[in-house]
Amino acid sequence: MVKVSFNKKVETDLISNYLRTAQTSKQFVENFAHALQERNGAVARLFLSPEIRGQIKPEIIGPSTPVTKIEIKEVSYSNYYWVYNVKAYYGPYDNNSPTLAFEIKLTVEPERYPDCSVVSSRYFITKLDWINGKAEFIPN
């Protein structure tokens, strides 16, 4: 007889590993953007590296007002990381055009093993910089 039980940390790690798997860094950021659109801050936080996960206010990655549109632009690339600008918009509501919810700059790096070799097709957001939007969402 074999008994298998998971504690919440293992379950979270399994979900996090699944979410952070993508064919490209851009696809990874698109998956993160989808979590933002679904207003699921808990899921969106799993895309962040453990080092910054506790430093970012939940409101940034789980706004209560629905985000209806997200624009992703690759800003730069090096051998070690990618930088993307992400703009999120509310609306349009009534006859008004979409309103900027926030703009952030993400640094995305491949996940690495302890020996520093790259884990294939897995990424982390290792830095999240505030650019624009409502002041109450500014990171800690």
Side-chain angles (χ1 to χ4, degrees):
M1 180 188 324
V2 175
K3 180 180 178 183
V4 177
S5 64
F6 291 101
N7 63 36
K8 289 185 186 252
K9 169 121 176 65
V10 171
E11 289 174 2
T12 302
D13 288 346
L14 291 173
I15 294 167
S16 179
N17 288 344
Y18 170 76
L19 292 172
R20 292 181 297 100
T21 300
Q23 294 302 311
T24 64
S25 63
K26 173 110 187 232
Q27 184 185 43
F28 169 80
V29 174
E30 290 168 351
N31 293 344
F32 174 73
H34 181 72
L36 292 177
Q37 286 182 297
E38 294 293 316
R39 296 189 304 173
N40 195 332
V43 168
R45 289 177 77 78
L46 295 175
F47 286 81
L48 306 177
S49 70
E51 294 78 19
I52 69 166
R53 200 171 286 158
Q55 299 173 12
I56 306 299
K57 287 184 178 181
E59 294 86 0
I60 290 177
I61 56 176
S64 59
T65 304
V67 171
T68 56
K69 176 183 172 188
I70 294 187
E71 296 173 352
I72 300 168
K73 179 182 175 189
E74 185 175 322
V75 176
S76 63
Y77 164 76
S78 81
N79 290 335
Y80 304 104
Y81 62 87
W82 297 262
V83 176
Y84 292 91
N85 274 10
V86 177
K87 289 184 180 181
Y89 295 89
Y90 301 131
Y93 298 108
D94 300 323
N95 293 327
N96 299 320
S97 58
T99 304
L100 181 69
F102 57 84
E103 181 178 1
I104 53 180
K105 181 169 69 172
L106 305 176
T107 301
V108 176
E109 296 182 36
E111 184 176 345
R112 296 188 181 277
Y113 292 110
D115 69 358
C116 293
S117 62
V118 171
V119 177
S120 177
S121 300
R122 283 220 312 253
Y123 303 89
F124 269 125
I125 295 170
T126 56
K127 189 172 182 189
L128 189 152
D129 293 313
W130 186 256
I131 296 176
N132 199 351
K134 293 191 175 187
E136 66 265 24
F137 295 150
I138 294 175
N140 297 337

